């Protein structure tokens, strides 16, 4: 599953490099901090996302990982709102499914942020 997270972030960085940047390491990404999502004094500030241990950290329910994923979720919701695209979530036994614009559906994922990222990538590809 960790490679799935890495692939999703890599695709985001490819499709929207102004939102998510790849780094020199395959499993590290920089997500731009938006003033509407988090207060920041710099217009170029970013938050680093490390996908290498994301699944393990999420399974252990570490507070930092949950905060990081919540930051990803808020960022994606902001970008959807800026594109005037609705996003909704359904919760199943297999995980969370995100739907954007009533037709772009994610695969089930253990955290809403990853489900939202999966659906958001489809929107960027559309």
């Amino acid at each position: 599953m960790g490679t799935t997270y890495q692939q999703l972030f890599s695709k985001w960085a490819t499709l929207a490099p102004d939102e998510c940047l790849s780094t020199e390491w395959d499993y590290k990404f920089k997500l731009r901090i938006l003033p509407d999502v988090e207060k920041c004094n710099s217009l170029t500030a970013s938050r680093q996302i490390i996908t290498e241990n994301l699944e393990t950290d999420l399974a252990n329910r570490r507070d930092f990982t949950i905060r990081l994923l919540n930051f990803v979720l808020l960022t994606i919701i902001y970008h959807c709102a800026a594109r005037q695209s609705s996003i909704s979530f359904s919760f199943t036994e297999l995980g969370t499914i995100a739907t954007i614009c009533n037709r772009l559906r994610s695969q089930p994922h253990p955290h809403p942020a990853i489900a939202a990222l999966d659906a958001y990538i489809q929107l960027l590809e559309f």
Side-chain angles (χ1 to χ4, degrees):
M1 186 73 79
T3 56
T4 301
Y5 296 160
Q6 184 177 332
Q7 290 169 348
L8 288 171
F9 278 94
S10 292
K11 196 160 229 180
W12 189 8
T14 300
L15 293 169
D18 56 324
E19 299 171 10
C20 180
L21 305 169
S22 19
T23 66
E24 59 273 10
W25 293 283
D26 291 339
Y27 56 89
K28 290 184 181 180
F29 301 90
K30 290 183 179 180
L31 193 59
R32 177 161 293 153
I33 295 176
L34 303 169
D36 291 340
V37 174
E38 184 176 297
K39 289 188 178 194
C40 185
N41 292 333
S42 171
L43 296 174
T44 60
S46 60
R47 183 175 289 275
Q48 185 168 290
I49 310 289
I50 300 173
T51 59
E52 185 178 41
N53 297 319
L54 197 56
E55 181 185 11
T56 305
D57 292 347
L58 182 58
N60 293 332
R61 308 284 299 166
R62 294 186 182 161
D63 289 344
F64 177 75
T65 303
I66 298 300
R67 282 195 307 262
L68 199 59
L69 287 170
N70 287 341
F71 174 78
V72 171
L73 179 59
L74 288 172
T75 301
I76 293 168
I77 289 172
Y78 173 85
H79 287 308
C80 284
R83 291 171 167 262
Q84 299 179 350
S85 303
S86 62
I87 184 168
S88 62
F89 299 91
S90 55
F91 303 93
T92 69
E93 291 179 3
L94 298 174
T96 304
I97 298 171
T99 305
I100 295 178
C101 299
N102 295 323
R103 68 178 183 271
L104 303 172
R105 293 182 60 142
S106 73
Q107 296 297 316
H109 291 283
H111 192 278
I114 303 302
L117 178 55
D118 189 354
Y120 182 59
I121 286 169
Q122 293 179 51
L123 179 65
L124 291 172
E125 290 176 326
F126 186 63

Short mmCIF file of all heavy atoms in Angstrom, two decimals, residues 3-53:
data_model
loop_
_atom_site.label_atom_id
_atom_site.label_comp_id
_atom_site.label_asym_id
_atom_site.label_seq_id
_atom_site.Cartn_x
_atom_site.Cartn_y
_atom_site.Cartn_z
N THR A 3 3.48 1.88 -1.65
CA THR A 3 3.80 2.27 -3.02
C THR A 3 2.62 2.95 -3.68
O THR A 3 2.80 3.82 -4.52
CB THR A 3 4.24 1.06 -3.86
OG1 THR A 3 3.21 0.08 -3.82
CG2 THR A 3 5.53 0.46 -3.35
N THR A 4 1.40 2.58 -3.28
CA THR A 4 0.21 3.26 -3.80
C THR A 4 0.23 4.73 -3.40
O THR A 4 -0.04 5.60 -4.23
CB THR A 4 -1.08 2.60 -3.28
OG1 THR A 4 -1.09 1.23 -3.68
CG2 THR A 4 -2.32 3.29 -3.81
N TYR A 5 0.54 5.02 -2.15
CA TYR A 5 0.62 6.40 -1.69
C TYR A 5 1.68 7.16 -2.47
O TYR A 5 1.47 8.28 -2.90
CB TYR A 5 0.96 6.47 -0.19
CG TYR A 5 -0.08 5.88 0.72
CD1 TYR A 5 0.24 5.50 2.01
CD2 TYR A 5 -1.40 5.70 0.31
CE1 TYR A 5 -0.71 4.97 2.86
CE2 TYR A 5 -2.36 5.16 1.14
CZ TYR A 5 -2.00 4.80 2.43
OH TYR A 5 -2.94 4.28 3.26
N GLN A 6 2.84 6.51 -2.65
CA GLN A 6 3.93 7.13 -3.40
C GLN A 6 3.51 7.43 -4.83
O GLN A 6 3.79 8.50 -5.37
CB GLN A 6 5.15 6.21 -3.38
CG GLN A 6 6.36 6.81 -4.04
CD GLN A 6 7.56 5.88 -3.93
OE1 GLN A 6 7.65 5.10 -2.99
NE2 GLN A 6 8.45 5.97 -4.88
N GLN A 7 2.81 6.49 -5.47
CA GLN A 7 2.35 6.69 -6.84
C GLN A 7 1.35 7.84 -6.92
O GLN A 7 1.38 8.63 -7.87
CB GLN A 7 1.72 5.41 -7.37
CG GLN A 7 2.72 4.31 -7.62
CD GLN A 7 2.08 2.97 -7.90
OE1 GLN A 7 0.87 2.78 -7.70
NE2 GLN A 7 2.87 2.03 -8.37
N LEU A 8 0.44 7.93 -5.94
CA LEU A 8 -0.55 9.01 -5.95
C LEU A 8 0.13 10.37 -5.82
O LEU A 8 -0.18 11.30 -6.57
CB LEU A 8 -1.57 8.82 -4.83
CG LEU A 8 -2.58 7.68 -5.02
CD1 LEU A 8 -3.39 7.46 -3.75
CD2 LEU A 8 -3.49 7.96 -6.20
N PHE A 9 1.05 10.50 -4.89
CA PHE A 9 1.76 11.78 -4.73
C PHE A 9 2.62 12.09 -5.94
O PHE A 9 2.71 13.25 -6.36
CB PHE A 9 2.58 11.78 -3.44
CG PHE A 9 1.77 12.11 -2.22
CD1 PHE A 9 1.23 11.11 -1.44
CD2 PHE A 9 1.53 13.43 -1.86
CE1 PHE A 9 0.47 11.40 -0.32
CE2 PHE A 9 0.77 13.74 -0.74
CZ PHE A 9 0.23 12.72 0.04
N SER A 10 3.26 11.08 -6.53
CA SER A 10 4.06 11.30 -7.74
C SER A 10 3.20 11.82 -8.88
O SER A 10 3.59 12.73 -9.61
CB SER A 10 4.74 10.00 -8.17
OG SER A 10 5.71 9.62 -7.25
N LYS A 11 2.02 11.24 -9.02
CA LYS A 11 1.13 11.67 -10.09
C LYS A 11 0.65 13.09 -9.83
O LYS A 11 0.55 13.90 -10.76
CB LYS A 11 -0.06 10.71 -10.18
CG LYS A 11 -0.81 10.84 -11.47
CD LYS A 11 -1.62 9.60 -11.72
CE LYS A 11 -1.35 9.16 -13.12
NZ LYS A 11 -2.05 7.99 -13.53
N TRP A 12 0.34 13.42 -8.59
CA TRP A 12 -0.07 14.78 -8.23
C TRP A 12 1.05 15.75 -8.59
O TRP A 12 0.80 16.81 -9.18
CB TRP A 12 -0.41 14.85 -6.75
CG TRP A 12 -1.04 16.12 -6.29
CD1 TRP A 12 -1.48 17.17 -7.06
CD2 TRP A 12 -1.34 16.50 -4.95
NE1 TRP A 12 -2.03 18.17 -6.27
CE2 TRP A 12 -1.95 17.77 -4.98
CE3 TRP A 12 -1.14 15.88 -3.72
CZ2 TRP A 12 -2.35 18.43 -3.81
CZ3 TRP A 12 -1.56 16.53 -2.57
CH2 TRP A 12 -2.16 17.80 -2.62
N ALA A 13 2.28 15.41 -8.22
CA ALA A 13 3.42 16.28 -8.52
C ALA A 13 3.61 16.46 -10.03
O ALA A 13 4.00 17.53 -10.49
CB ALA A 13 4.68 15.71 -7.89
N THR A 14 3.31 15.44 -10.79
CA THR A 14 3.44 15.52 -12.25
C THR A 14 2.33 16.38 -12.85
O THR A 14 2.58 17.22 -13.72
CB THR A 14 3.39 14.11 -12.86
OG1 THR A 14 4.48 13.36 -12.33
CG2 THR A 14 3.50 14.16 -14.37
N LEU A 15 1.10 16.17 -12.38
CA LEU A 15 -0.06 16.86 -12.96
C LEU A 15 -0.20 18.30 -12.48
O LEU A 15 -0.73 19.14 -13.21
CB LEU A 15 -1.34 16.09 -12.63
CG LEU A 15 -1.48 14.71 -13.29
CD1 LEU A 15 -2.65 13.95 -12.69
CD2 LEU A 15 -1.66 14.86 -14.79
N ALA A 16 0.23 18.58 -11.26
CA ALA A 16 0.08 19.93 -10.71
C ALA A 16 1.33 20.32 -9.92
O ALA A 16 1.31 20.40 -8.69
CB ALA A 16 -1.16 20.01 -9.81
N PRO A 17 2.45 20.58 -10.62
CA PRO A 17 3.70 20.88 -9.92
C PRO A 17 3.66 22.18 -9.13
O PRO A 17 4.51 22.39 -8.27
CB PRO A 17 4.73 20.95 -11.06
CG PRO A 17 3.94 21.17 -12.30
CD PRO A 17 2.60 20.56 -12.07
N ASP A 18 2.67 23.04 -9.38
CA ASP A 18 2.54 24.25 -8.57
C ASP A 18 1.87 23.95 -7.22
O ASP A 18 1.90 24.78 -6.32
CB ASP A 18 1.74 25.31 -9.33
CG ASP A 18 0.38 24.82 -9.78
OD1 ASP A 18 0.26 23.63 -10.13
OD2 ASP A 18 -0.57 25.61 -9.75
N GLU A 19 1.28 22.76 -7.07
CA GLU A 19 0.62 22.37 -5.82
C GLU A 19 1.47 21.40 -5.02
O GLU A 19 1.54 21.48 -3.79
CB GLU A 19 -0.74 21.71 -6.13
CG GLU A 19 -1.71 22.62 -6.85
CD GLU A 19 -2.95 21.88 -7.33
OE1 GLU A 19 -3.15 20.72 -6.93
OE2 GLU A 19 -3.71 22.47 -8.11
N CYS A 20 2.06 20.44 -5.71
CA CYS A 20 2.85 19.39 -5.06
C CYS A 20 4.13 19.20 -5.86
O CYS A 20 4.09 19.00 -7.07
CB CYS A 20 2.03 18.09 -5.03
SG CYS A 20 2.87 16.70 -4.25
N LEU A 21 5.25 19.27 -5.17
CA LEU A 21 6.56 19.15 -5.85
C LEU A 21 7.24 17.85 -5.48
O LEU A 21 7.20 17.43 -4.33
CB LEU A 21 7.47 20.31 -5.42
CG LEU A 21 6.93 21.73 -5.61
CD1 LEU A 21 7.82 22.72 -4.90
CD2 LEU A 21 6.82 22.05 -7.08
N SER A 22 7.86 17.20 -6.47
CA SER A 22 8.68 16.05 -6.14
C SER A 22 10.05 16.54 -5.69
O SER A 22 10.45 17.64 -6.01
CB SER A 22 8.82 15.07 -7.29
OG SER A 22 8.53 15.59 -8.50
N THR A 23 10.72 15.73 -4.94
CA THR A 23 12.07 16.07 -4.46
C THR A 23 13.06 15.11 -5.10
O THR A 23 12.71 14.30 -5.95
CB THR A 23 12.15 15.96 -2.92
OG1 THR A 23 11.99 14.59 -2.55
CG2 THR A 23 11.10 16.81 -2.25
N GLU A 24 14.29 15.18 -4.64
CA GLU A 24 15.33 14.29 -5.19
C GLU A 24 15.13 12.85 -4.73
O GLU A 24 15.74 11.94 -5.27
CB GLU A 24 16.73 14.80 -4.83
CG GLU A 24 17.00 14.91 -3.36
CD GLU A 24 16.55 16.25 -2.75
OE1 GLU A 24 15.86 17.03 -3.41
OE2 GLU A 24 16.89 16.48 -1.58
N TRP A 25 14.30 12.61 -3.72
CA TRP A 25 13.99 11.26 -3.27
C TRP A 25 12.59 10.87 -3.73
O TRP A 25 11.66 11.67 -3.70
CB TRP A 25 14.05 11.17 -1.75
CG TRP A 25 15.44 11.36 -1.23
CD1 TRP A 25 16.45 10.44 -1.24
CD2 TRP A 25 15.98 12.53 -0.63
NE1 TRP A 25 17.59 10.97 -0.68
CE2 TRP A 25 17.32 12.26 -0.29
CE3 TRP A 25 15.46 13.78 -0.33
CZ2 TRP A 25 18.14 13.19 0.31
CZ3 TRP A 25 16.28 14.70 0.27
CH2 TRP A 25 17.61 14.41 0.59
N ASP A 26 12.43 9.63 -4.15
CA ASP A 26 11.16 9.16 -4.70
C ASP A 26 10.00 9.20 -3.71
O ASP A 26 8.85 9.27 -4.11
CB ASP A 26 11.29 7.73 -5.23
CG ASP A 26 12.16 7.66 -6.47
OD1 ASP A 26 12.33 8.70 -7.15
OD2 ASP A 26 12.68 6.56 -6.76
N TYR A 27 10.29 9.12 -2.43
CA TYR A 27 9.24 9.03 -1.43
C TYR A 27 9.00 10.33 -0.65
O TYR A 27 8.23 10.35 0.29
CB TYR A 27 9.53 7.87 -0.47
CG TYR A 27 10.88 7.99 0.21
CD1 TYR A 27 11.02 8.69 1.40
CD2 TYR A 27 12.01 7.41 -0.36
CE1 TYR A 27 12.25 8.82 2.00
CE2 TYR A 27 13.24 7.53 0.25
CZ TYR A 27 13.36 8.23 1.43
OH TYR A 27 14.58 8.35 2.03
N LYS A 28 9.66 11.40 -1.04
CA LYS A 28 9.48 12.70 -0.36
C LYS A 28 8.88 13.70 -1.33
O LYS A 28 9.31 13.80 -2.48
CB LYS A 28 10.81 13.23 0.16
CG LYS A 28 11.37 12.45 1.32
CD LYS A 28 12.63 13.09 1.85
CE LYS A 28 13.20 12.27 2.99
NZ LYS A 28 14.42 12.86 3.52
N PHE A 29 7.88 14.43 -0.85
CA PHE A 29 7.19 15.43 -1.67
C PHE A 29 7.01 16.69 -0.85
O PHE A 29 6.99 16.65 0.37
CB PHE A 29 5.83 14.89 -2.13
CG PHE A 29 5.94 13.63 -2.92
CD1 PHE A 29 5.90 12.40 -2.30
CD2 PHE A 29 6.13 13.67 -4.29
CE1 PHE A 29 6.04 11.23 -3.01
CE2 PHE A 29 6.26 12.51 -5.02
CZ PHE A 29 6.22 11.27 -4.38
N LYS A 30 6.90 17.82 -1.54
CA LYS A 30 6.65 19.10 -0.88
C LYS A 30 5.29 19.60 -1.33
O LYS A 30 5.05 19.80 -2.52
CB LYS A 30 7.74 20.11 -1.23
CG LYS A 30 9.06 19.79 -0.61
CD LYS A 30 10.08 20.87 -0.93
CE LYS A 30 11.41 20.54 -0.27
NZ LYS A 30 12.41 21.57 -0.57
N LEU A 31 4.43 19.79 -0.36
CA LEU A 31 3.08 20.28 -0.63
C LEU A 31 3.03 21.75 -0.27
O LEU A 31 3.38 22.14 0.84
CB LEU A 31 2.10 19.48 0.22
CG LEU A 31 0.64 19.58 -0.11
CD1 LEU A 31 0.38 19.13 -1.53
CD2 LEU A 31 -0.16 18.71 0.84
N ARG A 32 2.63 22.59 -1.23
CA ARG A 32 2.60 24.03 -1.01
C ARG A 32 1.60 24.38 0.09
O ARG A 32 0.48 23.89 0.09
CB ARG A 32 2.25 24.76 -2.29
CG ARG A 32 2.14 26.27 -2.08
CD ARG A 32 2.24 27.04 -3.33
NE ARG A 32 3.59 26.89 -3.84
CZ ARG A 32 3.91 26.99 -5.11
NH1 ARG A 32 3.00 27.24 -6.00
NH2 ARG A 32 5.15 26.85 -5.50
N ILE A 33 2.02 25.23 1.02
CA ILE A 33 1.13 25.69 2.08
C ILE A 33 0.31 26.86 1.56
O ILE A 33 0.86 27.85 1.08
CB ILE A 33 1.94 26.12 3.33
CG1 ILE A 33 2.64 24.89 3.93
CG2 ILE A 33 1.02 26.77 4.36
CD1 ILE A 33 3.54 25.20 5.11
N LEU A 34 -0.99 26.72 1.61
CA LEU A 34 -1.91 27.76 1.15
C LEU A 34 -2.41 28.57 2.35
O LEU A 34 -2.77 27.99 3.37
CB LEU A 34 -3.10 27.12 0.43
CG LEU A 34 -2.73 26.24 -0.76
CD1 LEU A 34 -3.94 25.45 -1.22
CD2 LEU A 34 -2.18 27.08 -1.89
N PRO A 35 -2.44 29.89 2.24
CA PRO A 35 -2.88 30.73 3.37
C PRO A 35 -4.29 30.39 3.86
O PRO A 35 -4.58 30.54 5.03
CB PRO A 35 -2.84 32.15 2.81
CG PRO A 35 -1.95 32.09 1.63
CD PRO A 35 -2.03 30.69 1.09
N ASP A 36 -5.15 29.89 2.96
CA ASP A 36 -6.50 29.52 3.38
C ASP A 36 -6.54 28.19 4.13
O ASP A 36 -7.54 27.86 4.75
CB ASP A 36 -7.43 29.44 2.17
CG ASP A 36 -7.71 30.81 1.57
OD1 ASP A 36 -7.51 31.82 2.28
OD2 ASP A 36 -8.12 30.87 0.40
N VAL A 37 -5.47 27.42 4.06
CA VAL A 37 -5.41 26.13 4.73
C VAL A 37 -4.64 26.22 6.04
O VAL A 37 -5.03 25.67 7.05
CB VAL A 37 -4.77 25.07 3.80
CG1 VAL A 37 -4.56 23.76 4.53
CG2 VAL A 37 -5.63 24.86 2.56
N GLU A 38 -3.53 26.95 6.02
CA GLU A 38 -2.69 27.08 7.20
C GLU A 38 -1.99 28.43 7.19
O GLU A 38 -1.50 28.85 6.14
CB GLU A 38 -1.66 25.94 7.20
CG GLU A 38 -0.78 25.90 8.41
CD GLU A 38 0.15 24.69 8.38
OE1 GLU A 38 -0.36 23.56 8.41
OE2 GLU A 38 1.37 24.90 8.32
N LYS A 39 -1.96 29.10 8.31
CA LYS A 39 -1.30 30.40 8.37
C LYS A 39 0.19 30.24 8.16
O LYS A 39 0.83 29.37 8.74
CB LYS A 39 -1.56 31.07 9.73
CG LYS A 39 -2.98 31.52 9.89
CD LYS A 39 -3.15 32.34 11.12
CE LYS A 39 -4.60 32.79 11.18
NZ LYS A 39 -4.82 33.83 12.14
N CYS A 40 0.72 31.10 7.29
CA CYS A 40 2.13 31.05 6.96
C CYS A 40 2.56 32.42 6.46
O CYS A 40 1.80 33.09 5.75
CB CYS A 40 2.36 29.98 5.89
SG CYS A 40 4.08 29.73 5.52
N ASN A 41 3.76 32.83 6.81
CA ASN A 41 4.25 34.15 6.40
C ASN A 41 4.87 34.17 5.01
O ASN A 41 5.07 35.23 4.45
CB ASN A 41 5.29 34.65 7.42
CG ASN A 41 4.66 34.94 8.76
OD1 ASN A 41 3.47 35.25 8.83
ND2 ASN A 41 5.43 34.81 9.82
N SER A 42 5.16 33.00 4.47
CA SER A 42 5.83 32.93 3.18
C SER A 42 4.88 32.43 2.10
O SER A 42 4.08 31.53 2.34
CB SER A 42 7.03 31.98 3.27
OG SER A 42 7.56 31.73 2.00
N LEU A 43 4.99 32.99 0.92
CA LEU A 43 4.16 32.54 -0.20
C LEU A 43 4.72 31.28 -0.86
O LEU A 43 4.04 30.64 -1.66
CB LEU A 43 4.03 33.65 -1.24
CG LEU A 43 3.33 34.92 -0.78
CD1 LEU A 43 3.40 35.99 -1.87
CD2 LEU A 43 1.89 34.63 -0.41
N THR A 44 5.96 30.94 -0.53
CA THR A 44 6.59 29.77 -1.13
C THR A 44 6.81 28.63 -0.14
O THR A 44 7.48 27.65 -0.46
CB THR A 44 7.94 30.15 -1.75
OG1 THR A 44 8.79 30.68 -0.73
CG2 THR A 44 7.77 31.15 -2.88
N ALA A 45 6.23 28.73 1.05
CA ALA A 45 6.43 27.71 2.07
C ALA A 45 5.77 26.40 1.65
O ALA A 45 4.76 26.38 0.94
CB ALA A 45 5.86 28.17 3.40
N SER A 46 6.36 25.30 2.09
CA SER A 46 5.79 23.99 1.78
C SER A 46 5.93 23.07 3.00
O SER A 46 6.74 23.32 3.89
CB SER A 46 6.48 23.37 0.58
OG SER A 46 7.86 23.20 0.83
N ARG A 47 5.12 22.04 2.99
CA ARG A 47 5.17 21.02 4.05
C ARG A 47 5.65 19.74 3.39
O ARG A 47 5.17 19.36 2.34
CB ARG A 47 3.78 20.85 4.65
CG ARG A 47 3.74 19.88 5.79
CD ARG A 47 2.36 19.85 6.39
NE ARG A 47 2.06 21.08 7.12
CZ ARG A 47 2.39 21.30 8.38
NH1 ARG A 47 3.04 20.40 9.06
NH2 ARG A 47 2.06 22.42 8.97
N GLN A 48 6.59 19.08 4.03
CA GLN A 48 7.15 17.86 3.45
C GLN A 48 6.29 16.65 3.82
O GLN A 48 5.90 16.47 4.96
CB GLN A 48 8.57 17.64 3.95
CG GLN A 48 9.25 16.46 3.30
CD GLN A 48 10.73 16.43 3.58
OE1 GLN A 48 11.47 17.25 3.07
NE2 GLN A 48 11.15 15.48 4.39
N ILE A 49 6.00 15.84 2.81
CA ILE A 49 5.24 14.60 2.98
C ILE A 49 6.18 13.45 2.65
O ILE A 49 6.77 13.43 1.56
CB ILE A 49 4.02 14.53 2.03
CG1 ILE A 49 3.19 15.80 2.10
CG2 ILE A 49 3.20 13.28 2.27
CD1 ILE A 49 2.41 16.00 3.33
N ILE A 50 6.33 12.50 3.55
CA ILE A 50 7.17 11.33 3.31
C ILE A 50 6.25 10.13 3.20
O ILE A 50 5.58 9.76 4.16
CB ILE A 50 8.21 11.14 4.43
CG1 ILE A 50 9.11 12.37 4.52
CG2 ILE A 50 9.02 9.88 4.20
CD1 ILE A 50 10.06 12.36 5.69
N THR A 51 6.18 9.54 2.01
CA THR A 51 5.25 8.44 1.78
C THR A 51 5.83 7.08 2.15
O THR A 51 5.09 6.11 2.23
CB THR A 51 4.83 8.39 0.29
OG1 THR A 51 5.99 8.23 -0.51
CG2 THR A 51 4.10 9.66 -0.10
N GLU A 52 7.12 7.02 2.42
CA GLU A 52 7.79 5.76 2.69
C GLU A 52 7.14 4.99 3.84
O GLU A 52 6.91 3.79 3.75
CB GLU A 52 9.26 6.02 2.99
CG GLU A 52 10.08 4.77 3.16
CD GLU A 52 11.54 5.10 3.40
OE1 GLU A 52 11.83 6.06 4.16
OE2 GLU A 52 12.38 4.43 2.81
N ASN A 53 6.83 5.67 4.94
CA ASN A 53 6.27 5.01 6.11
C ASN A 53 4.85 5.45 6.41
O ASN A 53 4.35 5.24 7.51
CB ASN A 53 7.15 5.28 7.34
CG ASN A 53 8.54 4.70 7.17
OD1 ASN A 53 8.69 3.60 6.67
ND2 ASN A 53 9.54 5.46 7.58
#
